[in-house]
């Protein structure tokens, strides 16, 4: 899919399950926790924690009642550890192409400031982003239009495209605001997988791609 970009274009990305799989963050945090509470047999504990999560059980309740660990401390580690994450194939190339065409890059993501910024740092893309909008920092979450208007106020008189994955909340506001919208299809590892409930005009992006390899950044003809 061709996306036209020039100096008056802002390409905005969601973070979790759009630039990388959020499940990687969960696994990274679980490994950190398992190593801290059971250093000698942490792989076994990690396997148990991941299985409990997949079974929709309270992982932190299990760890805090099985080991001498405080639940609040476990949550703190989960939210504040230094994660081990990997960008989806094609993300770096896409961002480099946007910059080559003089376009701007933004992030709109829900979550805690410390957690989301740690993810961006771990992915090695912070210096490529022209504007970062994190829900905890601005006091509102998607689908609130304010999170998107921050981008519009930062870069007035531009065209805007939002690429994201979550049909429940990601595309409602940008569709209303006249943005272009692009959905990244779940690769089978997404944290949220109830998109089938939201296949309607309000929630749907204008187009879908299955990977970043399908995104082709081209010079705008305007």
């Amino acid at each position: 899919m061709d996306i036209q970009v020039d100096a008056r274009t802002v390409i905005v990305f969601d973070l979790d399950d759009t630039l990388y799989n959020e499940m990687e963050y969960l696994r990274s945090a679980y490994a950190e926790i398992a190593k801290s509470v059971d250093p000698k047999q942490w792989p076994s504990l990690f396997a148990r924690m991941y299985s409990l999560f997949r079974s929709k059980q309270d992982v932190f309740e299990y760890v805090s009642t099985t080991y001498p660990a405080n639940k609040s401390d476990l949550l703190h580690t989960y939210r504040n550890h230094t994660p081990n994450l990997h960008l989806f194939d094609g993300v770096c190339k896409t961002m480099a192409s946007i910059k080559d065409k003089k376009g701007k890059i933004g992030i709109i993501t829900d979550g805690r400031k410390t957690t989301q910024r740690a993810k961006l740092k771990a992915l090695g893309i912070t210096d490529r982003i022209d504007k970062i909008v994190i829900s905890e920092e601005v006091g509102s979450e998607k689908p609130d239009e304010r999170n998107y208007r921050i981008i519009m106020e930062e870069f007035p008189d531009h065209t805007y495209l939002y690429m994201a994955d979550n049909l429940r909340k990601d595309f409602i506001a940008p569709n209303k605001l006249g943005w272009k919208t692009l959905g990244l299809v779940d690769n089978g590892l997404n944290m949220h997988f109830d998109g089938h409930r939201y296949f309607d005009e309000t929630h749907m992006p204008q187009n879908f791609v299955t990977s970043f390899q399908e995104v082709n950044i081209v010079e705008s003809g305007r």
Side-chain angles (χ1 to χ4, degrees):
M1 176 182 172
D2 288 350
I3 297 176
Q4 295 189 350
V5 172
D6 61 21
R8 291 175 53 217
T9 305
V10 189
I11 307 297
V12 185
F13 299 97
D14 174 45
L15 177 56
D16 301 316
D17 284 330
T18 298
L19 299 183
Y20 81 105
N21 268 131
E22 188 177 6
M23 197 68 74
E24 264 197 326
Y25 183 86
L26 179 141
R27 290 173 62 87
S28 174
Y30 282 5
E32 183 85 5
I33 290 169
K35 290 174 183 177
S36 69
V37 301
D38 194 351
K40 293 183 178 179
Q41 301 185 59
W42 75 265
S44 176
L45 174 57
F46 171 79
R48 175 70 67 90
M49 293 169 67
Y50 192 62
S51 179
L52 287 168
F53 168 78
R54 295 289 296 272
S55 301
K56 302 186 185 302
Q57 303 299 308
D58 190 331
V59 175
F60 298 127
E61 181 67 22
Y62 168 79
V63 176
S64 64
T65 56
T66 308
Y67 296 86
N70 185 282
K71 196 171 184 178
S72 62
D73 291 337
L74 299 176
L75 284 168
H76 183 272
T77 298
Y78 184 93
R79 293 166 178 164
N80 296 280
H81 82 291
T82 300
N84 180 24
L85 309 175
H86 304 86
L87 290 167
F88 286 140
D89 290 343
V91 172
C92 287
K93 180 181 177 182
T94 298
M95 289 187 170
S97 295
I98 293 169
K99 291 297 186 179
D100 286 344
K101 306 296 187 298
K102 311 302 180 185
K104 309 296 191 306
I105 297 176
I107 295 287
I108 297 177
T109 178
D110 286 346
R112 296 171 180 269
K113 170 185 175 180
T114 301
T115 301
Q116 299 307 89
R117 289 194 177 273
K119 292 173 182 177
L120 290 168
K121 182 178 180 181
L123 291 168
I125 58 173
T126 304
D127 61 346
R128 305 182 190 187
I129 311 303
D130 298 289
K131 184 65 177 180
I132 299 171
V133 180
I134 300 174
S135 61
E136 185 181 62
E137 293 181 343
V138 302
S140 57
E141 297 182 348
K142 296 179 289 185
D144 197 309
E145 289 184 12
R146 288 178 291 178
N147 298 47
Y148 300 82
R149 290 189 181 278
I150 290 170
I151 297 290
M152 299 173 74
E153 292 167 2
E154 183 78 12
F155 306 107
D157 301 320
H158 282 57
T159 58
Y160 315 93
L161 181 146
Y162 191 48
M163 182 174 179
D165 69 285
N166 192 336
L167 269 63
R168 180 177 62 83
K169 63 178 182 177
D170 282 337
F171 304 111
I172 297 172
N175 283 339
K176 285 183 180 180
L177 294 170
W179 291 30
K180 297 176 182 178
T181 50
L182 180 61
L184 180 64
V185 176
D186 182 354
N187 64 1
L189 299 173
N190 281 18
M191 191 74 75
H192 306 287
F193 43 84
D194 60 348
H196 62 282
R197 299 180 179 180
Y198 304 101
F199 271 72
D200 57 68
E201 185 176 352
T202 299
H203 295 86
M204 290 272 285
Q206 294 150 15
N207 292 287
F208 281 103
V209 291
T210 61
S211 72
F212 274 84
Q213 279 87 345
E214 296 177 18
V215 176
N216 185 33
I217 304 299
V218 299
E219 192 77 45
S220 175
R222 64 182 172 189

